[in-house]
Amino acid sequence: MQTITQKLANPTRFMQLSGIVLPWIAGAAAAILCYGLFLVFAVAPIDYQQGETVKIMYIHVPSAWLAMMAYGLVALSSFGLLVFRHPLADVSAKAAVPIGAAFTFLALFTGSLWGKPMWGTYWVWDARLTSVLILFFLYLGLMALRSSLDDESTAAKLTAVLALVGVAILPIIKFSVDWWNTLHQPSTGLTSTIDPSMRIPLLIMALGFTLLFFAMHMKAMRNEVLRRRVKALRLSDIARRDGRTSQPTPAAG
Amino acid sequence: MDLGPHAAFIWSSYAIVGVTIAALITWLYADGRRQAAALKDLEARGVKRRTSVPSHADDNHAAGSL
């Protein structure tokens, strides 16, 4: 009995399934995000200390979660490539990196815009901020490494190793606010540390962002499968033409 | 809608998120269309996929050709 990952190992089946699922995930993401924005701007209360600037939390926190979740997905996919040789593992890892980098950038940028009115500075070399910046550099490093190698197979393996080495940054980011004395507040826990009137909009925005991420990741994977088919066909075309030109021409007359 | 003294920070945060996500989605769709068009062109020219070369076929299979 095949597992779901084995069933999806076949790129053709993945393209069929994702072609069906993708519009639904994208539609759900759009609907949930619209509802979340309505809650944020029309329902959620202002913070007694931060006032209206707490509204930045509803995009900063989901971006930060996705920045880490995306890297977790890259590391998981890299593990799937190196250990199980799953045909779509590298496709998944390659597709997730630019999207993860974008959300890490958004986490840093919105955090900085939130920090200026609240902390009085756009940036401080705080443990949480610095470790997320390192995560951003890791993403850029993965993209740079991959684009510097022509051979797909070598690029896949080297980026997979780098991704797995870099996964150590995730617990550092997560626990930085506990291990070190940071300006950044502790984690926005999903249980007690935040009032339901703010927690529910935050959860809805996080769900919308997460669905959006998976929709974009699925689309990027589909693009990557097509890209590799195009590359294979081009190689085949070149081989065919070389085969034709290198055949010995019969002696004239 | 009055967002208080720091409204500029709030609106620019939402704006940068909106612009970045819109750019990501646009890039994904443009890339998808470009790959699909290239594939259609190759198939229209009758190009068929070669069976992968056995020398390191498992590597190719693991990461390269699909």
Side-chain angles (χ1 to χ4, degrees):
Chain A
M1 193 8 215
Q2 278 191 324
T3 65
I4 184 80
T5 46
Q6 285 165 338
K7 274 193 192 134
L8 283 179
N10 179 322
T12 303
R13 183 176 298 132
F14 165 78
M15 293 296 274
Q16 287 163 355
L17 276 175
S18 59
I20 297 165
V21 169
L22 181 54
W24 292 97
I25 295 181
I32 290 172
L33 281 174
C34 288
Y35 179 56
L37 288 172
F38 162 72
L39 289 180
V40 167
F41 284 98
V43 176
I46 64 172
D47 185 73
Y48 76 101
Q49 280 182 318
Q50 304 183 47
E52 296 281 2
T53 51
V54 74
K55 287 190 172 20
I56 299 177
M57 173 181 73
Y58 298 105
I59 49 175
H60 172 69
V61 172
S63 296
W65 283 346
L66 283 181
M68 293 174 69
M69 188 199 79
Y71 196 89
L73 179 60
V74 171
L76 198 64
S77 302
S78 302
F79 185 80
L81 170 71
L82 294 175
V83 174
F84 301 106
R85 295 202 168 288
H86 192 288
L88 288 178
D90 182 50
V91 171
S92 170
K94 182 175 179 182
V97 168
I99 304 170
F103 280 108
T104 309
F105 163 74
L106 289 177
L108 289 166
F109 202 97
T110 54
S112 177
L113 286 176
W114 195 6
K116 179 60 177 172
M118 290 302 108
W119 295 344
T121 177
Y122 287 109
W123 181 263
V124 62
W125 293 102
D126 169 275
R128 168 61 63 90
L129 280 68
T130 309
S131 48
V132 175
L133 183 64
I134 293 169
L135 175 65
F136 186 60
F137 290 147
L138 258 171
Y139 275 120
L140 298 185
L142 285 170
M143 286 191 274
L145 178 59
R146 187 178 287 271
S147 61
S148 65
L149 295 162
D150 288 333
D151 179 44
E152 200 92 54
S153 173
T154 307
K157 274 181 246 169
L158 291 186
T159 46
V161 170
L162 176 58
L164 286 173
V165 169
V167 90
I169 194 70
L170 295 184
I172 292 172
I173 293 173
K174 168 72 180 133
F175 296 112
S176 57
V177 288
D178 305 322
W179 293 340
W180 294 291
N181 185 12
T182 64
L183 187 55
H184 191 287
Q185 74 271 20
S187 167
T188 308
L190 289 183
T191 52
S192 56
T193 60
I194 182 170
D195 185 79
S197 62
M198 289 182 174
R199 190 186 321 144
I200 289 165
L202 176 60
L203 280 175
I204 287 171
M205 288 295 281
L207 177 62
F209 266 69
T210 304
L211 286 173
L212 177 64
F213 169 84
F214 281 118
M216 290 196 286
H217 181 239
M218 194 177 283
K219 177 63 177 171
M221 282 183 74
R222 289 171 61 83
N223 291 355
E224 186 58 27
V225 168
L226 290 181
R227 187 186 341 275
R228 293 184 184 199
R229 284 184 178 167
V230 166
K231 186 174 179 182
L233 284 186
R234 283 188 178 141
L235 289 176
S236 177
D237 192 26
I238 290 166
R240 190 165 54 95
R241 273 188 257 145
D242 282 355
R244 226 176 323 160
T245 50
S246 64
Q247 275 164 7
T249 50
Chain B
M1 181 183 298
D2 171 29
L3 290 182
H6 304 304
F9 292 97
I10 299 167
W11 288 124
S12 41
S13 295
Y14 278 82
I16 191 71
V17 168
V19 165
T20 304
I21 288 176
L24 261 176
I25 292 172
T26 305
W27 166 62
L28 285 170
Y29 267 90
D31 185 37
R33 289 166 66 95
R34 192 169 45 246
Q35 301 306 329
L39 195 60
K40 187 176 287 184
D41 172 58
L42 285 161
E43 285 168 347
R45 282 198 278 126
V47 181
K48 296 273 186 296
R49 249 189 289 168
R50 215 170 20 131
T51 50
S52 57
V53 177
S55 62
H56 45 89
D58 57 334
D59 285 349
N60 274 347
H61 181 67
S65 62
L66 284 167

